Coordinates of all heavy atoms in Angstrom, one line a residue:
Chain B
I23 N 12.5 6.8 31.7 CA 12.8 8.0 32.3 C 13.0 7.9 33.8 O 14.0 8.4 34.3 CB 11.8 9.1 32.0 CG1 11.9 9.5 30.5 CG2 12.0 10.3 32.9 CD1 10.9 10.6 30.1
Q26 N 16.3 6.1 34.5 CA 17.5 7.0 34.3 C 17.6 8.1 35.3 O 18.7 8.4 35.8 CB 17.4 7.6 32.9 CG 17.5 6.6 31.7 CD 18.8 5.9 31.7 OE1 19.9 6.5 32.0 NE2 18.8 4.6 31.4
K30 N 20.6 8.6 38.2 CA 21.3 9.8 38.4 C 21.1 10.3 39.9 O 21.7 11.3 40.3 CB 20.8 10.9 37.5 CG 21.3 10.7 36.0 CD 22.8 11.2 35.9 CE 23.3 11.0 34.5 NZ 24.7 11.3 34.4
G31 N 20.3 9.6 40.6 CA 20.0 10.0 42.0 C 19.2 11.3 42.2 O 19.3 11.9 43.2
I51 N 4.5 11.8 33.8 CA 5.3 11.3 32.7 C 5.9 9.9 33.0 O 5.8 9.0 32.2 CB 6.4 12.3 32.4 CG1 5.9 13.6 31.8 CG2 7.5 11.7 31.5 CD1 6.8 14.7 31.7
K62 N 11.8 17.8 24.3 CA 12.7 17.6 25.5 C 13.6 16.4 25.3 O 14.5 16.2 26.2 CB 11.8 17.5 26.8 CG 11.3 18.9 27.1 CD 10.6 19.1 28.4 CE 10.4 20.5 28.6 NZ 9.1 20.8 29.4
S67 N 18.7 13.4 26.4 CA 19.9 12.7 26.0 C 21.2 13.3 26.7 O 22.1 12.6 27.0 CB 20.0 12.7 24.5 OG 20.4 14.0 24.0
L72 N 23.1 9.9 27.1 CA 22.7 8.8 26.2 C 22.5 9.3 24.8 O 22.3 10.5 24.6 CB 21.4 8.1 26.6 CG 21.5 7.4 28.0 CD1 20.1 7.0 28.4 CD2 22.4 6.1 27.8
Y74 N 21.1 10.6 21.4 CA 19.8 11.2 21.1 C 19.0 10.4 20.2 O 17.8 10.2 20.4 CB 20.1 12.6 20.5 CG 18.9 13.2 19.9 CD1 17.8 13.5 20.7 CD2 18.7 13.5 18.5 CE1 16.6 14.1 20.2 CE2 17.6 14.0 18.0 CZ 16.6 14.4 18.8 OH 15.4 14.9 18.3
D84 N 7.4 4.1 21.8 CA 6.4 4.2 22.9 C 5.1 4.8 22.4 O 4.0 4.3 22.7 CB 7.0 5.0 24.0 CG 6.1 5.1 25.2 OD1 6.2 4.1 26.0 OD2 5.4 6.0 25.4
K85 N 5.2 5.9 21.7 CA 4.0 6.5 21.2 C 3.2 5.6 20.3 O 2.0 5.5 20.4 CB 4.5 7.8 20.4 CG 3.4 8.8 20.1 CD 4.0 10.0 19.5 CE 3.0 10.7 18.6 NZ 3.5 11.9 17.9
K119 N 10.4 16.7 -2.2 CA 10.3 16.5 -0.8 C 8.9 16.4 -0.3 O 8.0 17.2 -0.7 CB 11.0 17.6 0.0 CG 12.5 17.8 -0.3 CD 13.3 16.6 0.2 CE 14.6 16.5 -0.5 NZ 15.3 15.2 -0.4

Side-chain angles (χ1 to χ4, degrees):
Chain B
I23 288 180
Q26 293 298 321
K30 287 284 180 186
I51 289 168
K62 289 190 170 144
S67 75
L72 291 169
Y74 170 64
D84 184 81
K85 197 174 150 183
K119 295 294 160 199

